[in-house]
Amino acid sequence: MAKLQLKGLRKQFAPNVIPVKDINIDVEDGEFLTLLGPSGCGKSTLLRLIAGLDEPTKGRVLIGDKDITSTAPGDRNIAMVFQSYALYPHMTVFENIATSLKLRKTPADEIKRRVNDVAQKLELGHLLDRKPGPMSGGQRQRVALARSLVRSPEVFLLDEPLSNLDALLREQVRAELKQLFNSQQKPVVYVTHDQTEAMTLSSKVAILYDGYLQQLDAPHEIYTHPANKFVAGFVGSPQMNLPTLKCEGNYAILGEFKIPLPDFPTMPKQIVMGIRPEDVRLARPETSEATIKGKVILVEDLGKEKLLICQVENSDKNIRALVPYDRTWDELVTLELPAQQIHWFDVETGDRLLRY
Ligand SMILES: Nc1ncnc2c1ncn2[C@@H]1O[C@H](COP(=O)(O)OP(=O)(O)OP(=O)(O)O)[C@@H](O)[C@H]1O
Ligand SMILES: [Mg+2]
């Protein structure tokens, strides 16, 4: 059983450089876990701890029931694609991809079959006889990817493996990866900055920030029920509106507009209101939802839609709304904030106030 378990993992490089603090995650066979978080939040460090390239300050790594925390990287049977990948410049693409199979004394005809198969999937078939030196960044990155996919390891670790590909190729390779990992049924831990990639590939997403695991959930759950203000602001584009508002009675106050609050056990004095721009609508006349008025101060053309940045009347706060491309509006707009789509967060801790 190749189930991967991270137990209380911590990595401290210096007194105040602790990019991994007490991380507990399980990744089942066939599960695809994506690590998502801002630059420097410890994603690569966490992968290196799993691969055995760095030793944890505390905690354990298990594959199946076996504790591999002190096992040398070469003895872990883990395939890793590095963020900065190095290929052997004197070898052809074929030889680069085949290295690990040769080391394991795989028969020549099987090596040929497996290398050709993976090369085809990653559109490298025509480059097998070339040396990687003069190739483009995207081509070299796919060779590095092929080199680890060709193996049958117990765990796959991939650190931004598609970052150098153009949008179209990224989409193609993404689909291939999905199929490939589906057929392997091994735990995959994948790092990316690309939220579409995270959402489309993963069965689970781990949001990391400040060394801590902020939320671990299915992509849809992360999107619809962010556990705290950080996750709410980090996931989704355009970014969620997250103004801090005063509370009066059962209402949050935005300018001179009142937004009804759910029944909290104790009413806070201030609160963070979260609503995604795609959930803010130009108000329908018959609406029974809370509405606010604002002046459109900026319009961003996103191709399919337009993002209106509106300054709320009698307030210094802006609310962004995504509207269909062909909609028209006056300079002063009325916006509808559907109660079902509003997330409420604690001002001090940032935590979500009601889960459902
Ligand atoms: N060997 C090391 N010695 C000291 N500090 C390190 C070392 N490796 C990483 N760090 C620090 O740990 C923190 C996390 O780095 P890491 O590379 O894990 O971030 P990341 O989330 O992968 O970022 P990016 O998205 O930019 O790749 C950074 O502050 C980095 O400077
Ligand atoms: Mg990194």
Side-chain angles (χ1 to χ4, degrees):
M1 258 280 284
K3 176 184 166 187
L4 173 70
Q5 297 178 67
L6 313 181
K7 290 193 179 291
L9 271 192
R10 180 182 177 89
K11 181 66 187 176
Q12 178 159 13
F13 287 112
N16 43 18
V17 185
I18 314 170
V20 175
K21 298 170 186 160
D22 196 28
I23 297 287
N24 292 290
I25 302 179
D26 281 6
V27 195
E28 306 289 340
D29 276 329
E31 213 168 41
F32 196 114
L33 172 79
T34 297
L35 306 180
L36 204 57
S39 190
C41 77
K43 304 178 295 293
S44 297
T45 304
L46 190 54
L47 284 196
R48 291 175 59 84
L49 294 179
I50 303 172
L53 300 166
D54 277 331
E55 213 183 308
T57 312
K58 242 200 229 164
R60 296 184 300 144
V61 180
L62 285 85
I63 294 182
D65 292 329
K66 200 168 149 218
D67 189 326
I68 56 157
T69 318
S70 313
T71 308
D75 298 331
R76 291 192 182 199
N77 199 13
I78 287 177
M80 177 154 174
V81 181
F82 292 90
Q83 189 169 9
S84 54
Y85 40 89
L87 302 172
Y88 302 111
H90 57 285
M91 291 185 186
T92 63
V93 168
F94 183 97
E95 289 162 345
N96 264 284
I97 300 175
T99 336
S100 66
L101 297 179
K102 277 192 187 146
L103 279 173
R104 284 175 173 71
K105 309 224 181 312
T106 315
D109 52 342
E110 190 186 333
I111 293 184
K112 201 164 168 193
R113 186 180 54 74
R114 281 166 68 172
V115 172
N116 279 324
D117 186 45
V118 75
Q120 198 131 40
K121 289 193 168 119
L122 298 178
E123 311 223 350
L124 291 168
H126 59 296
L127 299 173
L128 284 172
D129 297 330
R130 300 217 344 229
K131 302 241 167 94
M135 291 192 195
S136 75
Q139 288 169 334
R140 276 184 283 142
Q141 190 165 37
R142 277 176 290 143
V143 176
L145 186 56
R147 197 169 53 177
S148 82
L149 294 180
V150 79
R151 295 177 48 190
S152 303
E154 286 192 90
V155 175
F156 285 102
L157 306 176
L158 301 101
D159 201 345
E160 306 204 34
L162 311 183
S163 58
N164 282 332
L165 308 189
D166 64 66
L168 187 64
L169 195 54
R170 213 174 234 251
E171 214 169 289
Q172 282 168 18
V173 176
R174 200 168 74 202
E176 291 291 354
L177 277 185
K178 191 156 188 166
Q179 284 183 355
L180 223 141
F181 287 124
N182 272 342
S183 67
Q184 291 255 7
Q185 288 299 304
K186 294 286 158 56
V188 181
V189 185
Y190 190 96
V191 172
T192 180
H193 275 116
D194 182 329
Q195 297 198 8
T196 318
E197 222 167 275
M199 293 289 165
T200 51
L201 286 172
S202 326
S203 38
K204 274 197 303 203
V205 178
I207 310 281
L208 300 173
Y209 177 59
D210 191 26
Y212 292 107
L213 180 61
Q214 305 287 325
Q215 188 168 5
L216 177 65
D217 260 320
H220 181 72
E221 190 62 17
I222 299 238
Y223 196 78
T224 52
H225 293 91
N228 57 39
K229 186 182 162 192
F230 174 79
V231 176
F234 190 73
V235 174
S237 171
Q239 201 189 27
M240 190 186 275
N241 295 292
L242 287 164
T244 299
L245 306 179
K246 261 209 285 231
C247 301
E248 276 176 28
N250 290 337
Y251 295 96
I253 307 299
L254 178 52
E256 58 193 28
F257 306 98
K258 290 169 126 188
I259 299 150
L261 291 170
D263 283 328
F264 296 120
T266 47
M267 277 297 166
K269 289 203 176 75
Q270 286 194 91
I271 200 161
V272 176
M273 178 184 81
I275 185 161
R276 296 198 185 278
E278 72 238 38
D279 294 326
V280 179
R281 291 195 222 143
L282 290 171
R284 301 158 301 167
E286 73 279 12
T287 187
S288 55
E289 303 283 2
T291 57
I292 56 172
K293 286 198 173 78
K295 189 172 143 195
V296 179
I297 53 170
L298 197 69
V299 179
E300 284 182 11
D301 191 332
L302 302 180
K304 187 167 160 264
E305 285 138 331
K306 284 181 183 161
L307 183 69
L308 311 188
I309 294 127
C310 311
Q311 181 171 8
V312 180
E313 239 178 27
N314 295 323
S315 156
D316 58 354
K317 303 228 173 344
N318 291 342
I319 292 288
R320 285 162 303 127
L322 204 56
V323 300
Y325 197 87
D326 51 5
R327 278 296 293 270
T328 54
W329 60 86
D330 297 327
E331 196 192 358
L332 202 61
V333 290
T334 306
L335 300 172
E336 186 178 323
L337 311 177
Q340 282 293 322
Q341 314 300 339
I342 300 180
H343 311 258
W344 300 105
F345 301 103
D346 188 285
V347 172
E348 302 292 328
T349 63
D351 287 345
R352 183 181 191 84
L353 285 170
L354 289 177
R355 185 126 178 105
Y356 289 99

